[in-house]
Amino acid sequence: ENEFLCICGPSGCGKTTLLDILSGLLKPSKGDVLLDGEMVNPKKHSISFVFQEPSTLPWLTVWENIATGLKIKKLKKAEIKQKVEEVIRIVGLGGFEDFYPHQISGGMKQRVSIARAFATNADLILMDEPFVSLDQPTRERMQQEVLDIWKNLKRTIVFVTHNLEEAVFLGDRVIILSEKPTSIKADLPIDLPRPRDSLSTEFTELRAKCFSFLHQK
């Protein structure tokens, strides 16, 4: 609960498929996925998914996009207003509430997608390489923003990434997957204090450890 778990592995090993199974969108060929001791069910459990590309709805404003999941849950208007305003403040989208997706940058669109995921009080937030299409400065800023939201709102996150530095920077724990047939090669706790310094010796050593497991035959 409230863990930030990162999953790394080579292309094609099934990272996105794993997220689809965790969400209940795909049924596993064997075994079970349990959420709070019950079989995962997207109709019952509150699960949010943040995709590689921003998934904003172009006909809705920033405010309306973030409120989408809350409206589907049929929350009262006052509660929707309170939750949307809170998450807009946390992600720094104040002043852009009435803008449409075509009026904001790619990084801001992804911020809207992340805000929408966190606004619903999800039991589980799945993030599939959400920063892969962003330039490096925007990516680094978004990494810190996600950490800030996570610390503020306390959610359980499973975050898929190809970027080992990103995994060590974000994660409480990093799981390294093998090539197909996929298995878990390593399950590494990241015992570094936050905020993390990516230039520190400890950080560099953990990144190198992840790299060695990832490329281990």
Side-chain angles (χ1 to χ4, degrees), residues 4-195:
F4 203 124
L5 173 67
C6 290
I7 297 177
C8 298
S11 295
C13 75
K15 298 184 295 297
T16 297
T17 301
L18 176 59
L19 293 189
D20 288 341
I21 290 171
L22 292 178
S23 71
L25 295 174
L26 279 181
K27 291 191 181 298
S29 51
K30 61 180 179 179
D32 298 316
V33 179
L34 304 179
L35 189 55
D36 291 330
E38 298 180 288
M39 293 287 288
V40 68
N41 181 352
K43 293 182 180 178
K44 178 179 181 181
H45 296 113
S46 183
I47 302 169
S48 291
F49 212 130
V50 181
F51 301 95
Q52 291 185 13
E53 298 297 326
S55 54
T56 49
L57 301 171
W59 59 89
L60 298 180
T61 64
V62 165
W63 199 99
E64 291 165 340
N65 263 285
I66 295 171
T68 301
L70 302 171
K71 289 179 178 177
I72 290 170
K73 288 187 168 191
K74 295 182 167 49
L75 269 62
K76 294 179 180 177
K77 285 186 178 180
E79 191 173 358
I80 291 174
K81 183 175 184 293
Q82 181 260 319
K83 287 181 179 295
V84 172
E85 287 178 353
E86 178 188 22
V87 80
I88 280 176
R89 176 183 56 78
I90 292 170
V91 301
L93 286 169
F96 294 93
E97 292 90 343
D98 296 328
F99 281 56
Y100 286 88
H102 74 273
Q103 296 174 304
I104 58 178
S105 68
M108 291 178 74
K109 288 178 193 173
Q110 196 62 301
R111 215 183 297 179
V112 172
S113 300
I114 291 166
R116 184 175 58 203
F118 277 90
T120 58
N121 290 339
D123 302 310
L124 179 64
I125 296 177
L126 306 171
M127 306 184 80
D128 188 9
E129 298 192 76
F131 310 143
V132 70
S133 61
L134 303 179
D135 60 77
Q136 190 61 27
T138 305
R139 182 177 191 139
E140 290 174 0
R141 189 167 67 251
M142 292 296 293
Q143 288 169 356
Q144 190 56 57
E145 286 180 1
V146 164
L147 284 177
D148 291 342
I149 302 168
W150 172 68
K151 283 187 284 186
N152 270 282
L153 299 179
K154 295 296 180 189
R155 299 286 185 272
T156 302
I157 296 177
V158 179
F159 187 103
V160 161
T161 178
H162 273 99
N163 189 312
L164 293 176
E165 184 160 318
E166 181 169 72
V168 175
F169 183 76
L170 294 173
D172 292 322
R173 188 160 54 105
V174 176
I175 287 178
I176 307 290
L177 301 181
S178 69
E179 293 193 14
K180 290 192 280 189
T182 309
S183 61
I184 294 176
K185 294 174 89 173
D187 185 344
L188 303 171
I190 308 298
D191 296 322
L192 294 176
R194 300 181 188 274

